[in-house]
Amino acid sequence: MGIPHISSRWYDAWYFRHSCGKPYERNEEWLRFFRAIADRIVAEIRPRTVLDVGCAMGFLVEALRDRGVEAFGIDISEFAIRQARDDIKAYVYVASVLDPLPSALPSRYDLVVCIEVLEHLPSNRVDEAIKRLCQLSDDILFSSTPDDYREITHLNVQPPEYWAERFALHGFFRDVDFDASFITPWAARWRRSSDPFHRVVRNYERKFWRLWRENVELRTKLLEMRDELARLEAIKDVSRHGENQYIRSCSLMTGMNKIKNFIKHCLTRLGWIP
């Protein structure tokens, strides 16, 4: 069986109702999500022009325009584009990242946003799509699920290092000091770099070292807390046979609960529990 061809008919009303985790429609939850993204983009990147590739119903485009940014969007779904807010319809177009932009759109942008889009492309079209993104801007906010294989239109689900390699082929590297997790936990900001290779490696190593040390320190603290929890439980067992059992148990339970809460906090920081 060959690689499926991309079809805009996949992205109809049924798709947006059933294939986005929750119904993708104009409601306060989705609007609040994209408003929050727009707020962070405006505050931390400050672009004058933005292209949202795979804009769906244009929620991010409208949020950015409401904040004074000259934003545009493209999406292959005719259904989604028809759902855009009336005053936004002039700025969103039925188009694919694989094709030349509509003539009415600018050819370059301060920022390109591409959220959960490229996993919908077959693997043999990904490099072409990334090349187009990199031609449109020197600054790209990008997110693509690393593990959602259940959605039937996800033709090329890949881990973060796959996308890092693809962008690096075009001279784009992760901005290791920018936290894009306000979009998704795996989102990243890719920027064109003219730095020599040794400087790029230095930046990556700086970030890796800090995260590795944090991981080791948290793991060490967790093991210490585990030992303390075991000690307190042993004391609790002994106290059952002595006087003032209730008072001692309450005190020990308070200490144990504090430790359990700290362990949960550490595991969350490490990403081991949601």
Side-chain angles (χ1 to χ4, degrees):
M1 180 181 294
I3 298 173
H5 293 291
I6 307 162
S7 176
S8 61
R9 65 182 175 81
W10 294 345
Y11 306 103
D12 54 9
W14 192 95
Y15 170 83
F16 286 97
R17 190 176 301 121
H18 298 288
S19 301
C20 301
K22 60 190 72 174
Y24 191 99
E25 59 191 13
R26 177 172 292 278
N27 60 41
E28 186 56 33
E29 184 176 7
W30 282 112
L31 293 176
R32 184 168 57 248
F33 173 72
F34 284 105
R35 288 168 186 158
I37 292 176
D39 285 338
R40 294 289 292 272
I41 288 174
V42 170
E44 300 181 27
I45 301 178
R46 299 182 180 178
R48 293 168 298 175
T49 58
V50 174
L51 179 67
D52 185 7
V53 174
C55 67
M57 299 177 187
F59 297 153
L60 181 58
V61 174
E62 70 176 66
L64 288 168
R65 283 195 165 264
D66 288 346
R67 288 154 178 76
V69 179
E70 191 178 357
F72 303 88
I74 61 172
D75 200 285
I76 66 171
S77 171
E78 295 181 9
F79 168 80
I81 293 297
R82 289 198 302 269
Q83 312 310 308
R85 199 172 72 187
D86 286 345
D87 63 319
I88 297 299
K89 288 180 178 178
Y91 308 109
V92 293
Y93 295 80
V94 178
S96 169
V97 68
L98 297 171
D99 300 324
L101 291 180
S103 59
L105 287 177
S107 59
R108 291 277 297 172
Y109 300 85
D110 294 335
L111 178 70
V112 164
V113 179
C114 186
I115 301 175
E116 306 305 306
V117 175
L118 294 198
E119 68 272 12
H120 294 273
L121 298 181
S123 58
N124 64 340
R125 305 300 301 276
V126 164
D127 284 336
E128 182 182 352
I130 290 181
K131 179 181 178 181
R132 289 287 296 127
L133 294 178
C134 296
Q135 290 171 340
L136 293 169
S137 180
D138 295 333
D139 199 348
I140 300 169
L141 267 182
F142 179 82
S143 176
S144 181
T145 176
D147 52 23
D148 185 4
Y149 299 95
R150 295 173 297 174
E151 163 50 37
I152 58 175
T153 65
H154 285 179
L155 306 179
N156 190 37
V157 174
Q158 297 288 351
E161 61 267 27
Y162 171 90
W163 303 108
E165 181 179 15
R166 307 261 68 79
F167 277 105
L169 290 171
H170 298 278
F172 280 68
F173 298 93
R174 178 193 287 265
D175 183 341
V176 296
D177 296 312
F178 186 86
D179 180 6
S181 63
F182 58 89
I183 299 175
T184 62
W186 48 85
R189 184 182 183 185
W190 303 99
R191 305 178 75 178
R192 189 185 304 278
S193 175
S194 59
D195 289 344
F197 185 67
H198 66 269
R199 180 67 63 182
V200 174
V201 172
R202 180 182 186 278
N203 288 336
Y204 271 80
E205 184 64 20
R206 171 172 56 82
K207 189 68 171 183
F208 168 79
W209 168 251
R210 192 180 105 185
L211 293 175
W212 183 81
R213 284 298 303 164
E214 181 179 8
N215 185 290
V216 169
E217 293 295 332
L218 286 172
R219 187 185 298 273
T220 300
K221 191 65 176 178
L222 280 170
L223 291 172
E224 291 174 356
M225 288 297 186
R226 179 265 174 208
D227 291 343
E228 179 65 9
L229 186 62
R231 186 185 71 82
L232 289 172
E233 285 188 347
I235 295 173
K236 178 185 174 184
D237 291 340
V238 172
S239 72
R240 288 174 181 166
H241 305 289
E243 297 180 354
N244 302 319
Q245 174 184 342
Y246 177 76
I247 296 175
R248 292 183 182 179
S249 294
C250 287
S251 176
L252 290 170
M253 286 301 296
T254 299
M256 290 166 61
N257 286 334
K258 288 181 179 179
I259 293 173
K260 288 178 180 178
N261 288 335
F262 180 80
I263 290 174
K264 183 178 180 181
H265 169 73
C266 291
L267 292 175
T268 301
R269 287 282 302 277
L270 290 169
W272 296 347
I273 61 174

